[in-house]
């Protein structure tokens, strides 16, 4: 706080607003770091699940690459065929620009057949039913204490 004389009265000022602003900036920075760690973990888990998925023992002609392909078993993430889906999984990170904090990070694909794989073909790779999502949810909960205010109060 500050103490200064103004004419015939003394004013005692608090610097709480400045301290609150500093705390919010620090909390936002930790939140952004946490969200981006989780998004990267999710992206890596998706990739890992597609690389190590259980495959069928019989090959089929791929509708994507026109080559022979061993698809994954139903209920497991899609097996890598052409690599298009695998390479399409991108992250849009949480950021702070110009004092504005974007408190969401996104993991996405723009491949048109992704929803068909997840839904109709039951090859979950990034939905709530996927092993990648479940592993990432556990990871996120584990590291959430890194940014928790409650643990510091």
């Amino acid at each position: 706080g500050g103490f200064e004389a103004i004419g015939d009265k003394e004013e005692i000022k608090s610097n709480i607003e400045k301290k609150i602003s500093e705390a919010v900036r620090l909390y936002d920075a930790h939140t952004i770091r946490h969200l981006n760690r989780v998004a990267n973990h999710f992206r890596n888990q998706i990739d890992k699940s597609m690389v190590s998925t259980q495959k069928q023992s019989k090959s089929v002609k791929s509708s994507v690459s026109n080559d022979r392909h061993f698809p994954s078993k139903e209920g497991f993430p899609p097996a890598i065929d052409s690599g298009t889906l695998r390479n399409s999984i991108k992250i849009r990170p949480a950021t702070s620009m110009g004092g504005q904090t974007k408190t969401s990070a996104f993991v996405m694909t723009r491949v048109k057949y992704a929803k068909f794989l997840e839904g109709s073909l039951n090859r979950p790779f990034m939905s709530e039913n996927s092993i990648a999502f479940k592993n990432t949810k556990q990871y996120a909960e584990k590291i959430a204490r890194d940014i928790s205010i409650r643990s510091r109060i």
Side-chain angles (χ1 to χ4, degrees):
F3 183 78
E4 65 182 79
I6 303 176
D8 62 349
K9 62 181 174 178
E10 315 317 320
E11 182 177 8
I12 301 170
K13 293 183 183 177
S14 169
N15 61 0
I16 190 74
E17 293 301 321
K18 181 180 174 189
K19 296 292 183 188
I20 290 172
S21 293
E22 288 172 13
V24 167
R25 274 194 305 278
L26 182 61
Y27 188 75
D28 283 350
H30 287 303
T31 300
I32 288 167
R33 188 184 81 230
H34 173 78
L35 290 168
N36 291 333
R37 284 171 63 194
V38 171
N40 279 308
H41 186 271
F42 189 33
R43 166 69 182 87
N44 292 340
Q45 287 292 305
I46 292 167
D47 189 74
K48 181 180 172 184
S49 72
M50 286 194 275
V51 168
S52 63
T53 194
Q54 298 222 4
K55 296 179 183 174
Q56 296 177 15
S57 57
K58 201 161 116 181
S59 70
V60 297
K61 187 173 181 182
S62 168
S63 58
V64 179
S65 67
N66 286 327
D67 292 332
R68 298 302 289 175
H69 169 66
F70 288 92
S72 64
K73 292 180 179 177
E74 188 172 342
F76 290 90
I80 298 168
D81 180 4
S82 66
T84 300
L85 178 63
R86 180 186 190 190
N87 295 327
S88 76
I89 309 294
K90 303 292 182 207
I91 297 169
R92 190 167 80 198
T95 58
S96 180
M97 295 176 66
Q100 297 285 24
T101 301
K102 189 169 71 173
T103 55
S104 296
F106 297 91
V107 178
M108 63 191 133
T109 178
R110 296 190 194 277
V111 170
K112 293 184 189 327
Y113 57 86
K115 284 184 181 180
F116 181 69
L117 283 168
E118 286 269 4
S120 301
L121 293 181
N122 189 22
R123 302 298 195 277
F125 64 98
M126 63 187 297
S127 68
E128 290 183 19
N129 297 324
S130 71
I131 191 69
F133 182 90
K134 292 171 185 169
N135 287 346
T136 301
K137 186 174 180 187
Q138 286 179 338
Y139 173 77
E141 290 167 356
K142 182 178 154 199
I143 68 168
R145 68 180 171 271
D146 292 351
I147 62 163
S148 174
I149 291 177
R150 294 193 186 278
S151 66
R152 290 170 172 76
I153 295 178

